[in-house]
Amino acid sequence: MDVSVNSCISSPVEDSQRPILHVEARVKCAGDGIIVRTDLIRDEVTEWLLNNFIVLSIGQMISSFEGLSEPHAQALEFILVTECSRGNLESGAYQLQQVQLDVQVYQLRTRSEQQSSQKSHILEDSTVAGDNVAIATARVLALPSIDLEGLWETLDYDQPVQSTLLSAISRMVSFSARKLDKWTINWNRLILIWGPPGSGKTSLCRGLAQKLAIRLGKDYPQSKLFEINTYSLGSKYFGESSKLVNGMFENIETLLQEEEDTFICVFMDEIETLVARRDRALSSNEPFDAIRAVDAVLTGLDKLKEHSNVIIVCTSNLITALDQAFLDRVDIKQYIPQLSSRPTYNIYKDCLEELSQNGIIEGVSFDVVQVTPDDPQTALQYVEQAAEHLILPTFDEVLLHYGSFPDAIPTLLANAVFESEGLSGRTVRRLPALSLVLYSNGTRCDIRTAIEALRMGIASEWQAKTEAMMTMAGEHISGTTQANGQ
């Protein structure tokens, strides 16, 4: 009897410690714009998975739904196993009895739906210099949006930045929904993504909003992205910046009050535009206007934290330029470094394969095999085989198998990757296609020509960077000389 009692007591604890396997089930987009009740499908999909599968693997996609009720089976597009929180199996395969199954069913909001529901937030003031001033300061996007589909999957980091942020922020929102005492638990649900330009911060924030809308679907059936145009909140007129900022935060508060059951992700790109250090602002031309704008942002953030259904995500290229009072309010500070070799290779791989899928680069596959397959003692040889589309090996496969073949295509691509070290992610992503336009002829080429063009594009980027640095250095020396002469 004691054993059974202990078992009953320990079972909930064991359940809470089990890894959470996250599964996303996408409902087809209806041509007539009908929004499907995803909550009605979720429970049946969960039960169907438990009854029909013993093991699920990360990345596994299910497109056959035999056994589901006909209406739901017809409505589903696919089921995808995305990740496992607190799971660290190298195989990525999890027995369903050993995990908590978290199924989220969602439907992408189409462009036609966005056009009917999306609105630009306008601030108007007729007192500025006697003229009407109307500025589009933000856009509101219903989530999950078809415009952001696939963005999350293009992001690549050496560390599990995406899963860490997604898990932490979704738990933060879930905790806040329990109406924690605001005097005891003091957080702002404010996240800062910072790092060098071109490292993918903006894409990460938009992708994060998309994924949060899916992950939080049980608690918030509707979600919206409120993306603020920070530059539009600046004004050449004295005192107007703070008024524009106040008006923007009032718009957000109105939205939160009108839609208490909607999850709102507020996104402010390059936040240093609004919250630059006030001690440095004192030396500017209009110090008090800049200080008022920072004060207005801080006041607005303090008001937003009263609402449990909102998070604020910001980016910055210059964390040292941010006001200390703002930084003190940030709950999560995530640094995004410049690209390393692995993500750079993956970007080039994806871009080149995409060009091949569209008939711009000829298809071919690569391998390293024994000269005599039946004799493992024989030497290795590099093999290229014609294929319908280009199939490049993974970065790890290149390091393991292709190093002995300096002229192999995967090795040449790896060389291009090492030559790209220090380039921004924005530059890396545009180079494969741009280089073909600039340094190759014809509408179709082989992969060797494409990589040669890519390396020429990389060299051109570095030349431009070097010339720009020399020009800046020359201007600095000239300015210093003139100052000393005076």
PDB file of all heavy atoms in Angstrom, residues 21-23 56-62 78-84 91-94:
ATOM      1  N   LEU A  21       7.822  17.387 -26.111  1.00  0.00           N
ATOM      2  CA  LEU A  21       7.998  17.243 -27.552  1.00  0.00           C
ATOM      3  C   LEU A  21       6.975  18.130 -28.255  1.00  0.00           C
ATOM      4  O   LEU A  21       5.767  17.931 -28.125  1.00  0.00           O
ATOM      5  CB  LEU A  21       7.805  15.783 -27.967  1.00  0.00           C
ATOM      6  CG  LEU A  21       8.174  15.436 -29.412  1.00  0.00           C
ATOM      7  CD1 LEU A  21       9.663  15.677 -29.656  1.00  0.00           C
ATOM      8  CD2 LEU A  21       7.820  13.985 -29.724  1.00  0.00           C
ATOM      9  N   HIS A  22       7.477  19.120 -28.987  1.00  0.00           N
ATOM     10  CA  HIS A  22       6.602  20.102 -29.638  1.00  0.00           C
ATOM     11  C   HIS A  22       6.281  19.662 -31.064  1.00  0.00           C
ATOM     12  O   HIS A  22       7.178  19.370 -31.864  1.00  0.00           O
ATOM     13  CB  HIS A  22       7.276  21.467 -29.661  1.00  0.00           C
ATOM     14  CG  HIS A  22       7.580  22.003 -28.290  1.00  0.00           C
ATOM     15  ND1 HIS A  22       6.611  22.545 -27.470  1.00  0.00           N
ATOM     16  CD2 HIS A  22       8.748  22.063 -27.592  1.00  0.00           C
ATOM     17  CE1 HIS A  22       7.168  22.922 -26.338  1.00  0.00           C
ATOM     18  NE2 HIS A  22       8.462  22.643 -26.385  1.00  0.00           N
ATOM     19  N   VAL A  23       4.993  19.633 -31.362  1.00  0.00           N
ATOM     20  CA  VAL A  23       4.505  19.192 -32.661  1.00  0.00           C
ATOM     21  C   VAL A  23       3.581  20.272 -33.219  1.00  0.00           C
ATOM     22  O   VAL A  23       2.707  20.778 -32.517  1.00  0.00           O
ATOM     23  CB  VAL A  23       3.744  17.852 -32.551  1.00  0.00           C
ATOM     24  CG1 VAL A  23       3.187  17.441 -33.904  1.00  0.00           C
ATOM     25  CG2 VAL A  23       4.655  16.764 -31.987  1.00  0.00           C
ATOM     26  N   LEU A  56       8.551   9.401 -32.205  1.00  0.00           N
ATOM     27  CA  LEU A  56       8.558  10.526 -33.142  1.00  0.00           C
ATOM     28  C   LEU A  56       9.952  11.139 -33.135  1.00  0.00           C
ATOM     29  O   LEU A  56      10.604  11.218 -32.092  1.00  0.00           O
ATOM     30  CB  LEU A  56       7.519  11.582 -32.754  1.00  0.00           C
ATOM     31  CG  LEU A  56       6.047  11.219 -32.972  1.00  0.00           C
ATOM     32  CD1 LEU A  56       5.143  12.334 -32.455  1.00  0.00           C
ATOM     33  CD2 LEU A  56       5.756  10.950 -34.447  1.00  0.00           C
ATOM     34  N   SER A  57      10.397  11.598 -34.307  1.00  0.00           N
ATOM     35  CA  SER A  57      11.744  12.150 -34.440  1.00  0.00           C
ATOM     36  C   SER A  57      11.683  13.628 -34.826  1.00  0.00           C
ATOM     37  O   SER A  57      10.788  14.051 -35.562  1.00  0.00           O
ATOM     38  CB  SER A  57      12.533  11.382 -35.509  1.00  0.00           C
ATOM     39  OG  SER A  57      12.644  10.011 -35.176  1.00  0.00           O
ATOM     40  N   ILE A  58      12.654  14.401 -34.329  1.00  0.00           N
ATOM     41  CA  ILE A  58      12.744  15.818 -34.666  1.00  0.00           C
ATOM     42  C   ILE A  58      12.888  15.966 -36.181  1.00  0.00           C
ATOM     43  O   ILE A  58      13.707  15.308 -36.814  1.00  0.00           O
ATOM     44  CB  ILE A  58      13.939  16.479 -33.961  1.00  0.00           C
ATOM     45  CG1 ILE A  58      13.854  16.264 -32.442  1.00  0.00           C
ATOM     46  CG2 ILE A  58      13.998  17.960 -34.308  1.00  0.00           C
ATOM     47  CD1 ILE A  58      12.624  16.847 -31.811  1.00  0.00           C
ATOM     48  N   GLY A  59      12.069  16.833 -36.757  1.00  0.00           N
ATOM     49  CA  GLY A  59      12.089  17.041 -38.198  1.00  0.00           C
ATOM     50  C   GLY A  59      11.162  16.115 -38.967  1.00  0.00           C
ATOM     51  O   GLY A  59      11.005  16.275 -40.181  1.00  0.00           O
ATOM     52  N   GLN A  60      10.552  15.146 -38.283  1.00  0.00           N
ATOM     53  CA  GLN A  60       9.654  14.202 -38.965  1.00  0.00           C
ATOM     54  C   GLN A  60       8.386  14.916 -39.438  1.00  0.00           C
ATOM     55  O   GLN A  60       7.748  15.639 -38.683  1.00  0.00           O
ATOM     56  CB  GLN A  60       9.286  13.055 -38.016  1.00  0.00           C
ATOM     57  CG  GLN A  60       8.379  11.996 -38.615  1.00  0.00           C
ATOM     58  CD  GLN A  60       8.116  10.852 -37.651  1.00  0.00           C
ATOM     59  OE1 GLN A  60       8.767  10.730 -36.611  1.00  0.00           O
ATOM     60  NE2 GLN A  60       7.158   9.998 -37.981  1.00  0.00           N
ATOM     61  N   MET A  61       8.048  14.705 -40.700  1.00  0.00           N
ATOM     62  CA  MET A  61       6.843  15.302 -41.261  1.00  0.00           C
ATOM     63  C   MET A  61       5.852  14.204 -41.609  1.00  0.00           C
ATOM     64  O   MET A  61       6.208  13.211 -42.237  1.00  0.00           O
ATOM     65  CB  MET A  61       7.164  16.144 -42.493  1.00  0.00           C
ATOM     66  CG  MET A  61       5.937  16.813 -43.114  1.00  0.00           C
ATOM     67  SD  MET A  61       6.328  17.902 -44.513  1.00  0.00           S
ATOM     68  CE  MET A  61       7.106  19.277 -43.656  1.00  0.00           C
ATOM     69  N   ILE A  62       4.606  14.383 -41.193  1.00  0.00           N
ATOM     70  CA  ILE A  62       3.543  13.412 -41.426  1.00  0.00           C
ATOM     71  C   ILE A  62       2.511  14.057 -42.337  1.00  0.00           C
ATOM     72  O   ILE A  62       1.998  15.140 -42.048  1.00  0.00           O
ATOM     73  CB  ILE A  62       2.889  12.981 -40.096  1.00  0.00           C
ATOM     74  CG1 ILE A  62       3.944  12.403 -39.141  1.00  0.00           C
ATOM     75  CG2 ILE A  62       1.773  11.975 -40.337  1.00  0.00           C
ATOM     76  CD1 ILE A  62       3.463  12.243 -37.719  1.00  0.00           C
ATOM     77  N   PHE A  78      -0.105  19.218 -43.041  1.00  0.00           N
ATOM     78  CA  PHE A  78       0.931  18.308 -42.563  1.00  0.00           C
ATOM     79  C   PHE A  78       1.076  18.456 -41.056  1.00  0.00           C
ATOM     80  O   PHE A  78       0.592  19.411 -40.443  1.00  0.00           O
ATOM     81  CB  PHE A  78       2.282  18.552 -43.256  1.00  0.00           C
ATOM     82  CG  PHE A  78       2.872  19.920 -43.017  1.00  0.00           C
ATOM     83  CD1 PHE A  78       3.481  20.262 -41.813  1.00  0.00           C
ATOM     84  CD2 PHE A  78       2.825  20.879 -44.024  1.00  0.00           C
ATOM     85  CE1 PHE A  78       4.017  21.516 -41.599  1.00  0.00           C
ATOM     86  CE2 PHE A  78       3.366  22.154 -43.819  1.00  0.00           C
ATOM     87  CZ  PHE A  78       3.953  22.462 -42.600  1.00  0.00           C
ATOM     88  N   ILE A  79       1.756  17.490 -40.465  1.00  0.00           N
ATOM     89  CA  ILE A  79       2.140  17.529 -39.052  1.00  0.00           C
ATOM     90  C   ILE A  79       3.657  17.455 -39.000  1.00  0.00           C
ATOM     91  O   ILE A  79       4.263  16.595 -39.634  1.00  0.00           O
ATOM     92  CB  ILE A  79       1.515  16.359 -38.265  1.00  0.00           C
ATOM     93  CG1 ILE A  79      -0.016  16.470 -38.267  1.00  0.00           C
ATOM     94  CG2 ILE A  79       2.039  16.322 -36.830  1.00  0.00           C
ATOM     95  CD1 ILE A  79      -0.717  15.262 -37.653  1.00  0.00           C
ATOM     96  N   LEU A  80       4.284  18.354 -38.236  1.00  0.00           N
ATOM     97  CA  LEU A  80       5.743  18.428 -38.179  1.00  0.00           C
ATOM     98  C   LEU A  80       6.208  18.398 -36.728  1.00  0.00           C
ATOM     99  O   LEU A  80       5.717  19.152 -35.884  1.00  0.00           O
ATOM    100  CB  LEU A  80       6.231  19.716 -38.847  1.00  0.00           C
ATOM    101  CG  LEU A  80       7.741  19.969 -38.830  1.00  0.00           C
ATOM    102  CD1 LEU A  80       8.463  18.914 -39.652  1.00  0.00           C
ATOM    103  CD2 LEU A  80       8.055  21.367 -39.354  1.00  0.00           C
ATOM    104  N   VAL A  81       7.168  17.518 -36.442  1.00  0.00           N
ATOM    105  CA  VAL A  81       7.801  17.460 -35.121  1.00  0.00           C
ATOM    106  C   VAL A  81       8.939  18.478 -35.136  1.00  0.00           C
ATOM    107  O   VAL A  81       9.895  18.331 -35.901  1.00  0.00           O
ATOM    108  CB  VAL A  81       8.331  16.045 -34.817  1.00  0.00           C
ATOM    109  CG1 VAL A  81       8.891  15.996 -33.402  1.00  0.00           C
ATOM    110  CG2 VAL A  81       7.238  15.008 -35.006  1.00  0.00           C
ATOM    111  N   THR A  82       8.848  19.522 -34.310  1.00  0.00           N
ATOM    112  CA  THR A  82       9.774  20.650 -34.428  1.00  0.00           C
ATOM    113  C   THR A  82      10.963  20.578 -33.480  1.00  0.00           C
ATOM    114  O   THR A  82      12.114  20.734 -33.886  1.00  0.00           O
ATOM    115  CB  THR A  82       9.038  21.966 -34.218  1.00  0.00           C
ATOM    116  OG1 THR A  82       8.410  21.965 -32.928  1.00  0.00           O
ATOM    117  CG2 THR A  82       7.978  22.165 -35.295  1.00  0.00           C
ATOM    118  N   GLU A  83      10.731  20.357 -32.198  1.00  0.00           N
ATOM    119  CA  GLU A  83      11.834  20.320 -31.248  1.00  0.00           C
ATOM    120  C   GLU A  83      11.381  19.685 -29.948  1.00  0.00           C
ATOM    121  O   GLU A  83      10.191  19.421 -29.753  1.00  0.00           O
ATOM    122  CB  GLU A  83      12.373  21.727 -30.964  1.00  0.00           C
ATOM    123  CG  GLU A  83      11.389  22.637 -30.260  1.00  0.00           C
ATOM    124  CD  GLU A  83      12.011  23.982 -29.919  1.00  0.00           C
ATOM    125  OE1 GLU A  83      13.157  24.236 -30.331  1.00  0.00           O
ATOM    126  OE2 GLU A  83      11.361  24.767 -29.205  1.00  0.00           O
ATOM    127  N   CYS A  84      12.352  19.444 -29.066  1.00  0.00           N
ATOM    128  CA  CYS A  84      12.034  18.847 -27.764  1.00  0.00           C
ATOM    129  C   CYS A  84      12.701  19.666 -26.668  1.00  0.00           C
ATOM    130  O   CYS A  84      13.928  19.727 -26.597  1.00  0.00           O
ATOM    131  CB  CYS A  84      12.506  17.396 -27.705  1.00  0.00           C
ATOM    132  SG  CYS A  84      11.929  16.509 -26.240  1.00  0.00           S
ATOM    133  N   SER A  91      20.061  11.161 -31.256  1.00  0.00           N
ATOM    134  CA  SER A  91      19.300  10.595 -32.371  1.00  0.00           C
ATOM    135  C   SER A  91      18.119  11.470 -32.759  1.00  0.00           C
ATOM    136  O   SER A  91      17.648  11.442 -33.892  1.00  0.00           O
ATOM    137  CB  SER A  91      18.799   9.202 -32.007  1.00  0.00           C
ATOM    138  OG  SER A  91      17.855   9.279 -30.933  1.00  0.00           O
ATOM    139  N   GLY A  92      17.627  12.288 -31.796  1.00  0.00           N
ATOM    140  CA  GLY A  92      16.459  13.114 -32.063  1.00  0.00           C
ATOM    141  C   GLY A  92      15.164  12.337 -32.096  1.00  0.00           C
ATOM    142  O   GLY A  92      14.118  12.881 -32.455  1.00  0.00           O
ATOM    143  N   ALA A  93      15.209  11.042 -31.714  1.00  0.00           N
ATOM    144  CA  ALA A  93      14.015  10.186 -31.704  1.00  0.00           C
ATOM    145  C   ALA A  93      13.544  10.001 -30.263  1.00  0.00           C
ATOM    146  O   ALA A  93      14.343   9.655 -29.384  1.00  0.00           O
ATOM    147  CB  ALA A  93      14.321   8.842 -32.348  1.00  0.00           C
ATOM    148  N   TYR A  94      12.261  10.227 -30.016  1.00  0.00           N
ATOM    149  CA  TYR A  94      11.733  10.190 -28.658  1.00  0.00           C
ATOM    150  C   TYR A  94      10.529   9.246 -28.575  1.00  0.00           C
ATOM    151  O   TYR A  94       9.607   9.319 -29.395  1.00  0.00           O
ATOM    152  CB  TYR A  94      11.309  11.597 -28.212  1.00  0.00           C
ATOM    153  CG  TYR A  94      12.471  12.546 -28.076  1.00  0.00           C
ATOM    154  CD1 TYR A  94      12.911  13.285 -29.177  1.00  0.00           C
ATOM    155  CD2 TYR A  94      13.140  12.693 -26.868  1.00  0.00           C
ATOM    156  CE1 TYR A  94      13.980  14.154 -29.067  1.00  0.00           C
ATOM    157  CE2 TYR A  94      14.220  13.560 -26.752  1.00  0.00           C
ATOM    158  CZ  TYR A  94      14.634  14.290 -27.848  1.00  0.00           C
ATOM    159  OH  TYR A  94      15.692  15.139 -27.751  1.00  0.00           O
TER     160      TYR A  94
END
